[in-house]
Amino acid sequence: MVEVCGRAGFVARGVIYVLIGVLAVRIAFADSGGQQADRGGALAEIAHKPFGNVMLWLLGIALIGMAIWRLSEAAFGQPGPDGDKAGKRAAAAGRCAFYGFVSYSVLAYTAGDKGSGSGSTDKRTDDVTARVLDWPGGQWIVAIAGVAVACTGLWIAARAVMHKYRKHLKMSEMSPAERKAVDVLGVFGGSARGIVFATAGAFAVAAAVQHTPGKSKGMDDTLRSFTGTPAGPWLLVLIAVGLIAFGVFSWANARWRKV
């Protein structure tokens, strides 16, 4: 049962990342239709499709499955010789809380609370940053949080480049072509995801240093910022395709993950 929950969760995560990547490509070519390239934009995209409400319910339930699977890892450990370490259990507990929140926001949105899952991550990030900056020591708190997010992004990208994901997958059950495809998706997708996290963390640090909440950016504004580089919209396209690759890689996890 827990295995089914975990695999369903990977499918749901893949759907969200693929849609975010597609929306980011639209933004790169100025055809976003006003939608956000983040989780809220992905939910709105699904909602406007035939049977969209049914798909959103299934997505929310699948994400609950991911939370349950991570909870089981926190309680009983992960597969592998070092899966019972305290650090890995703590990380699993954190992921459980994250996916629990995400599943709640998706289901609340589906049930009619349109401000829950679909709200702009940019506005929420600005609001939270502004509130924290007003606290005593708020600049330090935002700066430390930004550094933590940036380091997490670099860690995600580095692990992808070093093929660390392989130890979690049943690589021996794949054909040579499947292994090659999974490696391309894992490295490219993981690197793109890590870069987005690292960039968002850097913006948070800038917001703390300059005491300007607007400098902190959610996923949508972080993605849009890539169009301001010398590479123009093409860098955003590259990152967007990478996020789509990570979504497909999540589907590969649903098939071959050691659960």
Side-chain angles (χ1 to χ4, degrees):
M1 179 61 183
V2 173
E3 178 178 347
V4 173
C5 288
R7 299 195 189 284
F10 279 113
V11 172
R13 187 181 75 173
V15 169
I16 291 174
Y17 270 96
V18 166
L19 288 176
I20 290 173
V22 169
L23 290 170
V25 171
R26 290 184 190 174
I27 288 171
F29 294 106
D31 185 27
S32 64
Q35 286 187 301
Q36 303 281 318
D38 52 19
R39 186 174 67 247
L43 297 184
E45 183 77 3
I46 295 173
H48 288 96
K49 301 298 182 185
F51 306 105
N53 214 47
V54 174
M55 289 190 286
L56 285 174
W57 279 112
L58 292 174
L59 189 70
I61 292 169
L63 288 168
I64 290 177
M66 178 68 94
I68 291 172
W69 173 57
R70 291 300 190 183
L71 179 62
S72 73
E73 287 192 329
F76 306 110
Q78 302 176 18
D82 60 345
D84 201 39
K85 288 184 177 179
K88 289 186 177 293
R89 286 194 174 197
R95 292 185 179 108
C96 171
F98 171 76
Y99 282 109
F101 169 76
V102 173
S103 62
Y104 167 78
S105 67
V106 172
L107 292 174
Y109 172 80
T110 309
D113 184 3
K114 301 306 181 186
S116 178
S118 66
S120 166
T121 56
D122 302 320
K123 185 178 185 306
R124 288 200 298 269
T125 301
D126 284 352
D127 291 345
V128 170
T129 303
R131 193 176 303 121
V132 175
L133 284 175
D134 285 337
W135 295 351
Q139 279 182 280
W140 282 104
I141 295 173
V142 173
I144 291 170
V147 169
V149 172
C151 289
T152 298
L154 295 175
W155 178 76
I156 289 171
R159 285 178 62 83
V161 171
M162 293 188 292
H163 302 97
K164 292 292 186 180
Y165 54 81
R166 286 180 177 174
K167 66 181 181 180
H168 298 297
L169 299 176
K170 300 173 183 177
M171 303 296 291
S172 61
E173 295 184 6
M174 304 178 194
S175 68
E178 287 170 338
R179 282 196 294 272
K180 185 175 182 179
V182 167
D183 274 338
V184 171
L185 293 169
V187 173
F188 183 31
S191 298
R193 181 175 178 241
I195 289 169
V196 172
F197 272 77
T199 304
F203 281 127
V205 173
V209 172
Q210 299 179 31
H211 205 285
T212 306
K215 291 287 184 179
S216 186
K217 301 181 186 296
M219 176 171 276
D220 179 71
D221 272 353
T222 298
L223 289 170
R224 291 174 189 269
S225 70
F226 291 117
T227 62
T229 65
W234 294 108
L235 179 57
L236 175 55
V237 170
L238 182 64
I239 296 295
V241 174
L243 294 179
I244 293 172
F246 183 77
V248 179
F249 177 70
S250 293
W251 294 338
N253 273 261
R255 169 65 177 83
W256 287 295
R257 180 84 179 203
K258 298 173 184 176
V259 178

